[in-house]
């Protein structure tokens, strides 16, 4: 069966209206005491033929230093379950990531070892074999993060390229792969969102 990608998964676009009110993994300085830049984490959905839903649990997202290959700290505060197939047209805001000033070659994502949860169009479970929980996607051109700058980082997790097999004769195989694109200085442009993903830590009042 040919899985056809309809839409993309966006990670780390920009949402300035949450800058003052929302934290997330971005409250961490990325393991550096020096100057930092910031990027917001947003997620939108994707669709493939033959599946109603496809849910993965992301345990970490880290940027890769272009010179040393060292990884930043995890920009997620906790594991995040993401349903990759949906009808929403606007992205979901997840977290603001604070990153040490520097140049980065890519993003490393780590998923839960357990297989993703997939449902066919009738809502019945479909067995999935996950090839690897960790994958790294490289920027076409290394990303420069500077103090006060808000680059857009777009990670397209291409389910059409990541899934093989036939839903009618499971298991299907999930070998996660992605494409990274960036836009410098995009943080000055507000965007609409569909949902805010996160956890309520405390309530005052």
């Amino acid at each position: 069966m040919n899985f056809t990608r309809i839409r993309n998964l966006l990670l780390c676009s920009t949402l300035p209206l949450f800058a003052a009110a929302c934290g997330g993994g971005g409250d961490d300085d990325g393991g550096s005491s020096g100057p930092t830049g910031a990027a917001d984490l947003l997620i939108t959905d994707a669709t493939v033929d033959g599946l109603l839903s496809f849910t993965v649990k992301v345990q970490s997202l880290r940027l890769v230093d272009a010179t040393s290959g060292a990884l930043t700290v995890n920009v997620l505060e906790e594991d995040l379950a993401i349903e990759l197939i949906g009808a929403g047209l606007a992205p979901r805001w997840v977290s603001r990531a604070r990153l040490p000033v520097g140049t980065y070659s890519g993003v490393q994502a780590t998923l839960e070892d357990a297989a993703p949860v997939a449902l066919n169009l009738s809502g019945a479970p479909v067995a999935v074999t996950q090839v690897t929980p960790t994958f790294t996607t490289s920027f076409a051109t290394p990303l420069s993060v500077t103090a006060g700058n808000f680059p857009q980082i777009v990670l397209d997790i291409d389910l059409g390229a990541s899934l093989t097999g036939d839903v009618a004769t499971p298991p299907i195989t999930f070998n996660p792969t992605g494409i990274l694109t960036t836009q410098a200085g995009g943080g000055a442009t507000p965007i609409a969102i569909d949902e805010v993903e996160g956890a309520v830590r405390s309530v005052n009042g």
Side-chain angles (χ1 to χ4, degrees):
M1 178 177 181
N2 180 27
F3 291 93
T4 304
R5 172 167 59 91
I6 305 298
R7 296 191 296 114
N8 299 330
L9 173 71
L10 304 183
L11 295 177
C12 297
S13 184
T14 56
L15 193 61
L17 63 91
F18 282 101
C22 298
D27 286 338
D28 198 306
D29 65 0
S32 171
S33 59
T36 60
D40 286 326
L41 173 63
L42 293 90
I43 299 171
T44 193
D45 304 318
T47 299
V48 293
D49 295 338
L51 289 177
L52 178 66
S53 68
F54 192 90
T55 303
V56 299
K57 182 174 285 187
V58 183
Q59 294 183 323
S60 71
L61 292 170
R62 306 172 189 269
L63 270 71
V64 183
D65 186 272
T67 301
S68 67
L71 301 175
T72 65
V73 298
N74 183 10
V75 302
L76 299 178
E77 284 192 343
E78 56 189 25
D79 294 354
L80 177 66
I82 304 174
E83 200 290 286
L84 297 181
I85 300 175
L89 297 178
R92 300 168 183 174
W93 186 87
V94 174
S95 178
R96 162 152 290 191
R98 300 208 64 84
L99 304 169
V101 165
T103 302
Y104 298 93
S105 61
V107 173
Q108 182 193 84
T110 298
L111 309 179
E112 186 180 45
D113 285 334
V117 177
L119 300 177
N120 65 20
L121 296 180
S122 299
V126 176
V128 180
T129 299
Q130 182 168 272
V131 175
T132 178
T134 300
F135 65 103
T136 300
T137 305
S138 298
F139 296 110
T141 301
L143 172 69
S144 178
V145 174
T146 61
N149 190 30
F150 296 88
Q152 291 186 358
I153 304 172
V154 181
L155 172 61
D156 174 0
I157 295 184
D158 188 347
L159 287 179
S162 300
L163 291 172
T164 56
D166 194 328
V167 171
T169 56
I172 56 176
T173 300
F174 178 54
N175 188 14
T177 185
I179 301 170
L180 281 171
T181 57
T182 63
Q183 294 184 17
T189 305
I191 65 173
I193 64 170
D194 179 45
E195 296 179 6
V196 175
E197 299 281 349
V200 176
R201 297 290 188 179
S202 64
V203 177
N204 293 327

